[in-house]
Amino acid sequence: MTGKKRLNSLEAALNNEMKEREFYLKNAERTGNPVGKAMFQQIAHEELEHYERLKELHETWAGAGKWPETVPLVVNDTAVKDLLKNVIKEAEKISEGDEDDLEAIRVAIDFESKGVAFYEKLRDEVADKKEKAFFDLLSRIEREHYLSLKEAEEFLVDPESWYTRAEHPSLDGA
């Protein structure tokens, strides 16, 4: 992959991260469901971090014409999965999600699925180990967002099954 194509890919990633962040913030504001609100706020926060790291990378790379040596390219892992479980356990009464919540989650699942594929493609097209590691990290975080959103979808569609699976019940045969 040429340097110009990689810069163009970073610009596309910047645009996607900001669009996704705006989507998550809008839905965090809209929903009355505490699980959806917490999840959308957390993912919006994480998308902003991705945007900031990608912007820093893009600016440095555009100026130097190569992968930067000094830009801190660490991105925090996602906290969405733990956040979802904690919010659900702490909430005394979770208001049911409405069709808008479910639709927003399904749109977000599509976003994150495409994000995984996009960052995996970038990872697979570069040779530099630091580039590979960075794009691999982003793809894994987007995958974690995807899995958390799938879990939230299950919770909204069938909370009883979600609780059964999340609580890991077992029959002791006694």
Side-chain angles (χ1 to χ4, degrees):
M1 179 189 298
T2 66
K4 177 73 172 155
K5 185 175 179 187
R6 292 191 338 250
L7 276 176
N8 290 342
S9 295
L10 283 177
E11 289 168 8
L14 281 165
N15 289 330
N16 289 339
E17 295 291 339
M18 194 49 66
K19 285 178 189 173
E20 289 174 16
R21 180 174 191 273
E22 290 167 5
F23 172 84
Y24 290 125
L25 288 174
K26 181 178 108 182
N27 281 285
E29 183 68 29
R30 179 200 52 76
T31 188
N33 183 298
V35 174
K37 185 174 287 302
M39 179 190 60
F40 287 137
Q41 288 171 338
Q42 181 63 37
I43 295 176
H45 172 75
E46 292 175 9
E47 298 296 2
L48 178 60
E49 182 191 11
H50 300 171
Y51 174 84
E52 289 169 351
R53 293 296 168 263
L54 288 166
K55 182 177 178 191
E56 189 176 2
L57 171 62
H58 182 271
E59 288 171 356
T60 304
W61 197 344
K66 64 179 185 169
W67 185 265
E69 296 293 328
T70 58
V71 176
L73 297 174
V74 176
V75 178
N76 293 326
D77 277 334
T78 182
V80 175
K81 192 171 201 162
D82 292 334
L83 177 120
L84 278 178
K85 288 183 179 176
N86 291 337
V87 170
I88 289 169
K89 285 179 183 177
E90 291 174 10
E92 290 180 22
K93 181 179 186 304
I94 301 272
S95 60
E96 288 187 21
D98 60 21
E99 286 301 313
D100 289 340
D101 289 340
L102 195 54
E103 179 59 26
I105 287 172
R106 288 178 174 158
V107 168
I109 287 169
D110 186 55
F111 281 163
E112 299 300 334
S113 175
K114 288 177 180 172
V116 170
F118 180 75
Y119 290 125
E120 285 177 346
K121 183 175 186 283
L122 287 176
R123 176 200 63 208
D124 295 345
E125 290 180 349
V126 298
D128 183 278
K129 288 181 182 182
K130 286 188 276 184
E131 283 183 80
K132 271 194 184 301
F134 181 72
F135 292 124
D136 185 62
L137 174 62
L138 288 176
S139 73
R140 286 185 287 121
I141 291 171
E142 298 295 331
R143 177 153 175 70
E144 200 58 44
H145 287 171
Y146 169 85
L147 293 172
S148 296
L149 287 159
K150 290 295 280 182
E151 189 166 338
E153 178 186 39
E154 177 188 358
F155 177 78
L156 290 177
V157 170
D158 189 359
E160 292 82 16
S161 292
W162 185 92
Y163 279 111
T164 299
R165 185 182 53 75
E167 297 298 321
H168 307 291
S170 63
L171 298 174
D172 63 8

